[in-house]
Amino acid sequence: MATGSTPRGMIRVLQWLLAGLMILIGLAIGILGGKLVIVGGSYYFLIMGIVMVCAGVLIFRSNASGIALYGLAFIASIIWAVSDAGWDFWPLFSRLFTFGVLALLSAILWPWLFPSASKKPAFALAAVIALALLVSAGWMFKPQTLVTASEAVPVKPVAAGQEQKEWKHWGNTTHGDRFAALDQINKQNVNDLKVAWVAHTGDIPQSNGSGAEDQNTPLQIGDTLFVCTPYSKVLALDVDTGKEKWRYDSKATAPNWQRCRGLGYYEDTQAQAAPQTQSPVAACPRRLFLPTTDARLVAINADNGQLCDDFGDRGVVDLSVGMGEIKPGYYQQTSTPLVAGNVVVVGGRVADNFSTGEPPGVVRAYDVHTGKLAWAWDPGNPALTGLPPEGQTYTRGTPNVWSAMSYDAKLNLIYLPTGNATPDFYAGERTALDDKYSSSIVAVDAASGQVRWHYQTTHHDLWDFDLPSQPLLTDLPDGKGGTTPVLVQTSKQGMIFMLNRETGEPVAKVEERPVPAGKVKGERYSPTQPYSVGMPMIGNQTLTESDMWGATPIDLLLCRIEFKAMRHEGVYTPPGLDRSLQFPGSLGGMNWGSVSIDPNNSLMFVNDMRLGLANYMVPRASVAKNASGIEMGIVPMDGTPYGAMRERFLSPLGIPCQKPPFGTMSAVDLKSGKLVWQVPVGTVQDTGPLGIRMHLPIPIGMPTLGASLSTQSGLLFFAGTQDFYLRAFDTATGKEIWKSRLPVGSQSGPMTYVSPKTGKQFIVINAGGARQSADRGDYIIAYALPDKA
């Protein structure tokens, strides 16, 4: 071996290091590659593993042909990677970066093992490979835009007198638009935003593994901000300073699902579209409605935090009335009540998958003044419109409405996004009425609760494809000088449905397509499912082996093996006794955060998550007696022949097995039904492999959960990522143009208002923690532009 000026010992160490790495990695890849071949996967890894072991042995023996052999294999790997993954950065990175590092070491070692070789070409090649590796490493920090905007989107100034005055509902309006006609904070000055004040609620959610996140979007009425907490408390804060005015504590307790997403608000002076009841003048002219975690609806005087004694029983309506047995934690309100005219409407979260016959999914409307039941909609007994007869209950185990509802005052219709009859993954015992209203948009008359129309987005749902989000109500230009009243519904299965909200007929094309049938004894299967082809499908492609991903070739291989060992037939892969892959999984797709909109340009903004679910049915005799599976694991589904296993489709490092991004923000043109732009959202700064924070702002695109906010100035605010930031995007392009570090993560929706006292616009976010992080907080943070000198 020629040493030149380089110490022989250093060369020997490099030689042994390279040989050892090749042999170890080659053995791992070869063995796992053999397993992949056995389950019907690619031969590449088996072959590459054998070649690497041979090359490593040759290098260890100081045989330069080992480097030549590896060089040829690396070139072949580049060709294979491009043919397997295309030119997408992240798939290529996972396939080639590790092998590129070995190629760099080989190029450096080459002239020392091959004495007749010239050092200059070898070192030049090493320099090229090193540059490529550095560029690749740097490219990780560049957002990989999926769809690029091609046309300019104009910003329409807010006309004088048309500025938004208050934020009265969870989605800003009962239409769920999350749009603010405000432009004091705009693209030109958003970088000047600073924290104006910080308030603390005093309630820090503590998760026991079954849901505890602060997901509240505050309301703003006049000079007061109203906030609810995970433990069913309400705070009134000064909009300019965050100073607490009053506090109400409902003393609610629950073993799980500690959260409050929002409050309802009613004032006697507001215009009523069509009064539903004749009520006396209230002693509480401005009232908040708090849904508690222990199934109560509380009316609070918005002026002083006292209970409204004229509502229900001294300010409280007991939502357990007529429900039958409710085990602790099996029924509560997890979404905002809907104030629609003179009624306040509630659905409820019902525990999934423990057994058949869980609490009823009934939706009820109460007089906003008296708290008397105005009407009830029982999906299992539509003829029952009031309280059940003595000794009876509403129909148990029916589809429920756990998400937020919308209201059109002009049509006097309330739109209910329904979930499943429990349990989720076995439906052989569901009734015809369960199937009729499950996973549907149901339009009911606000005065009577009678169904006007309903539209189903999943037939005989076996996937927990509840409709999770508040329907968006908006008016689209019809091309004839008028508008069409539409309802837009996002779904867990990554589809977007657009219906005429007056009739329920699709405005964007929907096709009934054949889907695979399962083989579970006692189950029945819908032969077709509705595919909304007139709107974009987001993150719900049928996966292939080539879509698998890993941070290294090893976990990439493990994901490929797991994928090939599972049955996957697209979005509607039916559960079976064998292990199957559901993608998207039951978290989405799109979830409860809903959408926001720029109505001036008919642009809708949608955030999503891309997490698969591995599942299989478990015969009753094999279901453990202590099975719960609140989040993951075996769910018992008592009363059926099966339990069901649910597991996230993750690599051993805890990373989703399919290629990035794992979460995006998209802009959809509602007029054309096309994607305008789509960008990854979120970095690995506050998470990473095995849950270890990487502290690197790599914008790979992480699962999102929460609501967004659109303003007329062309800004889109969002915080529901897995890193601790509130961000602002340009609504025309999706480009991130501002961000602010939060003390903990957030799954809440940002909101905005202009102070009636100072005329200053504020952006407010509730930061209580993000799902994947143990960090929790109780922060209400307001941002504003600095005062002018």
Side-chain angles (χ1 to χ4, degrees):
M1 178 185 297
T3 60
S5 60
T6 303
R8 182 182 297 272
M10 293 180 60
I11 297 304
R12 181 65 70 179
V13 170
L14 177 60
Q15 177 186 345
W16 288 347
L17 174 64
L18 178 58
L21 286 174
M22 279 196 185
I23 292 171
L24 288 174
I25 296 174
L27 282 172
I29 289 176
I31 293 170
L32 294 173
K35 291 184 177 180
L36 180 60
V37 169
I38 291 173
V39 294
S42 168
Y43 279 76
Y44 161 77
F45 294 95
L46 173 61
I47 296 170
M48 185 63 178
I50 294 171
V51 170
M52 288 181 69
V53 171
C54 293
V57 171
L58 289 170
I59 292 170
F60 184 79
R61 299 176 63 182
S62 301
N63 190 330
S65 61
I67 290 180
L69 178 60
Y70 182 76
L72 291 174
F74 181 59
I75 293 171
S77 294
I78 294 173
I79 297 172
W80 170 81
V82 173
S83 66
D84 187 59
W87 292 101
D88 289 347
F89 171 75
W90 285 111
L92 287 178
F93 183 89
S94 70
R95 285 159 175 78
L96 295 175
F97 191 83
T98 298
F99 296 148
V101 172
L102 296 178
L104 172 63
L105 296 177
S106 298
I108 294 172
L109 187 63
W110 170 259
W112 310 105
L113 288 186
F114 205 147
S116 62
S118 171
K119 293 184 176 63
K120 287 185 179 180
F123 290 165
L125 177 60
V128 170
I129 296 174
L131 179 62
L133 292 174
L134 287 173
V135 170
S136 297
W139 208 259
M140 292 193 300
F141 296 87
K142 180 183 182 299
Q144 307 298 313
T145 300
L146 287 83
V147 177
T148 303
S150 59
E151 296 182 8
V153 177
V155 173
K156 178 182 177 182
V158 178
Q162 298 301 310
E163 302 91 347
Q164 174 175 302
K165 302 299 183 185
E166 295 175 312
W167 186 290
K168 290 185 176 182
H169 304 274
W170 180 62
N172 196 12
T173 70
T174 60
H175 287 203
D177 49 39
R178 290 171 188 79
F179 170 78
L182 298 173
D183 58 7
Q184 184 182 125
I185 298 170
N186 52 55
K187 297 179 189 179
Q188 288 70 44
N189 61 25
V190 67
N191 278 315
D192 296 327
L193 274 183
K194 304 294 182 185
V195 173
W197 53 260
V198 178
H200 295 271
T201 68
D203 266 7
I204 299 178
Q206 301 296 326
S207 177
N208 60 3
S210 56
E213 296 93 18
D214 204 340
Q215 299 174 335
N216 171 245
T217 298
L219 305 183
Q220 172 260 329
I221 314 296
D223 62 0
T224 306
L225 200 67
F226 297 104
V227 179
C228 62
T229 77
Y231 296 104
S232 302
K233 298 173 186 175
V234 179
L235 283 71
L237 308 176
D238 182 271
V239 296
D240 288 296
T241 65
K243 182 179 179 181
E244 186 174 315
K245 295 184 174 183
W246 55 257
R247 173 184 295 248
Y248 169 78
D249 185 356
S250 69
K251 308 293 184 183
T253 59
N256 52 21
W257 295 96
Q258 288 87 13
R259 62 186 48 160
C260 179
R261 291 186 178 129
L263 300 162
Y265 175 76
Y266 174 86
E267 61 184 41
D268 283 332
T269 57
Q270 72 186 36
Q272 300 298 325
Q276 278 81 45
T277 59
Q278 297 297 323
S279 303
V281 176
C284 244
R286 304 187 329 135
R287 55 187 65 196
L288 300 165
F289 294 101
L290 168 69
T292 70
T293 57
D294 57 0
R296 290 177 288 150
L297 182 64
V298 182
I300 305 165
N301 190 322
D303 294 322
N304 56 27
Q306 302 298 310
L307 292 180
C308 297
D309 286 340
D310 58 351
F311 183 82
D313 182 8
R314 291 177 290 182
V316 179
V317 166
D318 182 357
L319 298 177
S320 68
V321 173
M323 300 290 280
E325 180 189 14
I326 299 178
K327 299 175 184 177
Y330 274 51
Y331 177 81
Q332 64 263 107
Q333 303 297 310
T334 57
S335 290
T336 180
L338 175 74
V339 175
N342 278 339
V343 293
V344 53
V345 188
V346 294
R349 173 204 164 265
V350 174
D352 286 330
N353 298 312
F354 285 90
S355 68
T356 57
E358 296 297 359
V362 62
V363 176
R364 289 167 288 182
Y366 297 90
D367 184 284
V368 293
H369 296 107
T370 66
K372 292 181 179 179
L373 183 67
W375 53 259
W377 176 63
D378 180 351
N381 183 11
L384 177 61
T385 60
L387 284 170
E390 186 70 26
Q392 298 182 31
T393 70
Y394 296 111
T395 310
R396 295 181 66 82
T398 52
N400 61 316
V401 179
W402 61 264
S403 188
M405 300 163 275
S406 299
Y407 170 57
D408 184 332
K410 183 177 180 181
L411 296 175
N412 206 34
L413 288 180
I414 296 170
Y415 302 94
L416 314 175
T418 70
N420 282 324
T422 186
D424 289 323
F425 304 107
Y426 180 81
E429 299 173 8
R430 288 183 191 162
T431 68
L433 276 176
D434 288 339
D435 272 344
K436 180 177 181 179
Y437 291 116
S438 175
S439 301
S440 299
I441 304 148
V442 182
V444 300
D445 186 279
S448 65
Q450 294 297 303
V451 175
R452 294 265 195 94
W453 59 259
H454 75 281
Y455 186 89
Q456 191 164 71
T457 58
T458 301
H459 307 320
H460 195 68
D461 189 352
L462 303 173
W463 302 272
D464 191 19
F465 280 160
D466 299 351
L467 286 183
S469 54
Q470 182 179 27
L472 167 69
L473 312 183
T474 190
D475 297 325
L476 285 186
D478 60 7
K480 304 175 183 177
T483 59
T484 301
V486 301
L487 176 150
V488 185
Q489 179 70 58
T490 56
S491 68
K492 288 185 179 181
Q493 60 265 40
M495 297 185 198
I496 302 169
F497 294 84
M498 182 189 289
L499 311 176
N500 184 308
R501 68 175 182 268
E502 189 170 9
T503 66
E505 294 298 317
V507 173
K509 185 178 180 181
V510 178
E511 292 178 353
E512 286 286 336
R513 293 182 176 178
V515 294
K519 300 178 181 178
V520 173
K521 185 178 179 181
E523 185 59 271
R524 59 187 189 273
Y525 301 91
S526 174
T528 65
Q529 291 290 350
Y531 280 74
S532 182
V533 297
M535 296 293 284
M537 296 192 191
I538 298 177
N540 66 352
Q541 68 273 25
T542 299
L543 298 176
T544 68
E545 183 191 335
S546 294
D547 289 317
M548 296 303 102
W549 190 80
T552 70
I554 303 300
D555 55 317
L556 167 62
L557 246 175
L558 290 169
C559 284
R560 282 183 174 245
I561 293 169
E562 185 174 1
F563 175 78
K564 292 299 292 186
M566 287 190 290
R567 176 172 48 86
H568 177 60
E569 303 169 275
V571 173
Y572 294 105
T573 300
L577 294 174
D578 59 334
R579 189 175 172 85
S580 63
L581 173 61
Q582 176 186 334
F583 184 82
S586 56
L587 278 180
M590 286 76 95
N591 210 291
W592 62 265
S594 311
V595 303
S596 60
I597 188 175
D598 170 6
N600 295 314
N601 294 292
S602 298
L603 287 182
M604 181 178 74
F605 307 104
V606 184
N607 59 283
D608 77 307
M609 67 179 82
R610 304 182 186 189
L611 295 173
L613 184 71
N615 58 29
Y616 56 90
M617 309 300 286
V618 180
R620 174 59 50 205
S622 300
V623 178
K625 295 187 181 299
N626 62 347
S628 64
I630 294 172
E631 286 290 334
M632 289 292 112
I634 295 181
V635 291
M637 302 199 300
D638 290 338
T640 76
Y642 305 96
M645 172 60 81
R646 304 182 301 168
E647 298 171 332
R648 293 282 171 238
F649 185 42
L650 305 174
S651 78
L653 297 179
I655 300 170
C657 268
Q658 83 284 349
K659 65 184 179 183
F662 311 128
T664 68
M665 183 70 75
S666 303
V668 179
D669 185 336
L670 294 177
K671 300 188 297 297
S672 67
K674 304 294 184 183
L675 279 175
V676 174
W677 52 258
Q678 186 176 78
V679 297
V681 179
T683 71
V684 294
Q685 182 165 343
D686 296 298
T687 186
L690 302 176
I692 300 171
R693 296 186 185 186
M694 294 187 68
H695 300 287
L696 295 173
I698 300 174
I700 197 169
M702 303 299 286
T704 69
L705 193 63
S708 60
L709 159 68
S710 171
T711 71
Q712 195 160 330
S713 58
L715 294 174
L716 180 71
F717 291 90
F718 185 67
T721 63
Q722 292 196 355
D723 54 5
F724 302 170
Y725 285 99
L726 172 63
R727 291 178 166 87
F729 301 87
D730 187 330
T731 58
T733 64
K735 180 181 178 181
E736 180 186 304
I737 55 179
W738 173 83
K739 67 179 179 182
S740 176
R741 183 73 171 164
L742 300 173
V744 296
S746 174
Q747 292 182 347
S748 302
M751 55 86 68
T752 187
Y753 59 86
V754 168
S755 165
K757 294 186 291 186
T758 65
K760 180 180 290 189
Q761 183 182 355
F762 292 84
I763 306 290
V764 173
I765 186 68
N766 180 6
R771 173 171 292 214
Q772 89 297 338
S773 171
D775 294 347
R776 293 288 184 266
D778 64 343
Y779 303 90
I780 308 295
I781 305 173
Y783 296 84
L785 297 172
D787 293 328
K788 294 181 180 179

